[in-house]
PDB file of all heavy atoms in Angstrom:
ATOM      1  N   VAL F  55       8.690  11.546  17.529  1.00  0.00           N
ATOM      2  CA  VAL F  55       9.356  10.403  18.094  1.00  0.00           C
ATOM      3  C   VAL F  55       9.702   9.248  17.157  1.00  0.00           C
ATOM      4  O   VAL F  55      10.859   8.892  17.135  1.00  0.00           O
ATOM      5  CB  VAL F  55       8.584   9.937  19.294  1.00  0.00           C
ATOM      6  CG1 VAL F  55       9.176   8.458  19.838  1.00  0.00           C
ATOM      7  CG2 VAL F  55       8.476  10.858  20.454  1.00  0.00           C
ATOM      8  N   LEU F  56       8.725   8.868  16.376  1.00  0.00           N
ATOM      9  CA  LEU F  56       8.863   7.754  15.424  1.00  0.00           C
ATOM     10  C   LEU F  56       9.870   8.064  14.267  1.00  0.00           C
ATOM     11  O   LEU F  56      10.709   7.278  13.909  1.00  0.00           O
ATOM     12  CB  LEU F  56       7.588   7.354  14.748  1.00  0.00           C
ATOM     13  CG  LEU F  56       6.657   6.608  15.827  1.00  0.00           C
ATOM     14  CD1 LEU F  56       5.288   6.452  15.128  1.00  0.00           C
ATOM     15  CD2 LEU F  56       7.206   5.349  16.197  1.00  0.00           C
ATOM     16  N   TRP F  57       9.849   9.325  13.768  1.00  0.00           N
ATOM     17  CA  TRP F  57      10.727   9.746  12.772  1.00  0.00           C
ATOM     18  C   TRP F  57      12.275   9.802  13.387  1.00  0.00           C
ATOM     19  O   TRP F  57      13.127   9.482  12.660  1.00  0.00           O
ATOM     20  CB  TRP F  57      10.274  10.991  12.062  1.00  0.00           C
ATOM     21  CG  TRP F  57       9.335  10.806  10.940  1.00  0.00           C
ATOM     22  CD1 TRP F  57       7.981  10.630  11.269  1.00  0.00           C
ATOM     23  CD2 TRP F  57       9.476  10.594   9.746  1.00  0.00           C
ATOM     24  NE1 TRP F  57       7.323  10.369  10.122  1.00  0.00           N
ATOM     25  CE2 TRP F  57       8.307  10.387   9.018  1.00  0.00           C
ATOM     26  CE3 TRP F  57      10.611  10.779   8.778  1.00  0.00           C
ATOM     27  CZ2 TRP F  57       8.053  10.212   7.675  1.00  0.00           C
ATOM     28  CZ3 TRP F  57      10.336  10.640   7.495  1.00  0.00           C
ATOM     29  CH2 TRP F  57       9.207  10.371   6.947  1.00  0.00           C
ATOM     30  N   GLY F  58      12.407  10.220  14.551  1.00  0.00           N
ATOM     31  CA  GLY F  58      13.683  10.275  15.146  1.00  0.00           C
ATOM     32  C   GLY F  58      14.274   8.828  15.319  1.00  0.00           C
ATOM     33  O   GLY F  58      15.417   8.714  15.050  1.00  0.00           O
ATOM     34  N   VAL F  59      13.415   7.970  15.897  1.00  0.00           N
ATOM     35  CA  VAL F  59      13.820   6.534  16.065  1.00  0.00           C
ATOM     36  C   VAL F  59      14.072   5.911  14.704  1.00  0.00           C
ATOM     37  O   VAL F  59      15.252   5.237  14.571  1.00  0.00           O
ATOM     38  CB  VAL F  59      12.756   5.707  16.733  1.00  0.00           C
ATOM     39  CG1 VAL F  59      13.056   4.210  16.742  1.00  0.00           C
ATOM     40  CG2 VAL F  59      12.517   6.252  18.189  1.00  0.00           C
ATOM     41  N   GLY F  60      13.378   6.325  13.619  1.00  0.00           N
ATOM     42  CA  GLY F  60      13.667   5.772  12.292  1.00  0.00           C
ATOM     43  C   GLY F  60      15.042   6.159  11.799  1.00  0.00           C
ATOM     44  O   GLY F  60      15.715   5.502  11.177  1.00  0.00           O
ATOM     45  N   ASP F  61      15.406   7.433  12.006  1.00  0.00           N
ATOM     46  CA  ASP F  61      16.643   7.979  11.601  1.00  0.00           C
ATOM     47  C   ASP F  61      17.837   7.238  12.284  1.00  0.00           C
ATOM     48  O   ASP F  61      18.772   7.014  11.641  1.00  0.00           O
ATOM     49  CB  ASP F  61      16.736   9.406  11.797  1.00  0.00           C
ATOM     50  CG  ASP F  61      18.013  10.040  11.071  1.00  0.00           C
ATOM     51  OD1 ASP F  61      17.974  10.130   9.814  1.00  0.00           O
ATOM     52  OD2 ASP F  61      18.940  10.428  11.831  1.00  0.00           O
ATOM     53  N   ILE F  62      17.642   7.031  13.587  1.00  0.00           N
ATOM     54  CA  ILE F  62      18.666   6.253  14.412  1.00  0.00           C
ATOM     55  C   ILE F  62      18.862   4.922  13.748  1.00  0.00           C
ATOM     56  O   ILE F  62      19.952   4.461  13.537  1.00  0.00           O
ATOM     57  CB  ILE F  62      18.331   6.257  15.717  1.00  0.00           C
ATOM     58  CG1 ILE F  62      18.402   7.691  16.429  1.00  0.00           C
ATOM     59  CG2 ILE F  62      19.313   5.328  16.598  1.00  0.00           C
ATOM     60  CD1 ILE F  62      17.892   7.673  17.882  1.00  0.00           C
ATOM     61  N   THR F  63      17.886   4.259  13.422  1.00  0.00           N
ATOM     62  CA  THR F  63      17.875   2.987  12.822  1.00  0.00           C
ATOM     63  C   THR F  63      18.483   3.000  11.474  1.00  0.00           C
ATOM     64  O   THR F  63      19.269   2.178  11.106  1.00  0.00           O
ATOM     65  CB  THR F  63      16.378   2.409  12.709  1.00  0.00           C
ATOM     66  OG1 THR F  63      15.787   2.438  13.893  1.00  0.00           O
ATOM     67  CG2 THR F  63      16.347   1.047  12.133  1.00  0.00           C
ATOM     68  N   ALA F  64      18.209   4.070  10.682  1.00  0.00           N
ATOM     69  CA  ALA F  64      18.799   4.155   9.362  1.00  0.00           C
ATOM     70  C   ALA F  64      20.321   4.364   9.493  1.00  0.00           C
ATOM     71  O   ALA F  64      21.094   3.810   8.646  1.00  0.00           O
ATOM     72  CB  ALA F  64      18.092   5.402   8.655  1.00  0.00           C
ATOM     73  N   GLN F  65      20.676   5.108  10.417  1.00  0.00           N
ATOM     74  CA  GLN F  65      22.193   5.335  10.604  1.00  0.00           C
ATOM     75  C   GLN F  65      22.780   4.044  10.979  1.00  0.00           C
ATOM     76  O   GLN F  65      23.971   3.704  10.636  1.00  0.00           O
ATOM     77  CB  GLN F  65      22.423   6.414  11.735  1.00  0.00           C
ATOM     78  CG  GLN F  65      22.000   7.788  11.230  1.00  0.00           C
ATOM     79  CD  GLN F  65      22.517   8.891  12.171  1.00  0.00           C
ATOM     80  OE1 GLN F  65      23.517   8.937  12.818  1.00  0.00           O
ATOM     81  NE2 GLN F  65      21.561   9.891  12.480  1.00  0.00           N
ATOM     82  N   SER F  66      22.165   3.258  11.851  1.00  0.00           N
ATOM     83  CA  SER F  66      22.650   1.960  12.282  1.00  0.00           C
ATOM     84  C   SER F  66      22.890   1.040  11.085  1.00  0.00           C
ATOM     85  O   SER F  66      23.873   0.275  10.991  1.00  0.00           O
ATOM     86  CB  SER F  66      21.769   1.368  13.337  1.00  0.00           C
ATOM     87  OG  SER F  66      21.731   2.174  14.517  1.00  0.00           O
TER      88      SER F  66
END
Side-chain angles (χ1 to χ4, degrees):
V55 171
L56 288 172
W57 279 79
V59 173
D61 188 71
I62 293 174
T63 306
Q65 292 187 43
S66 301

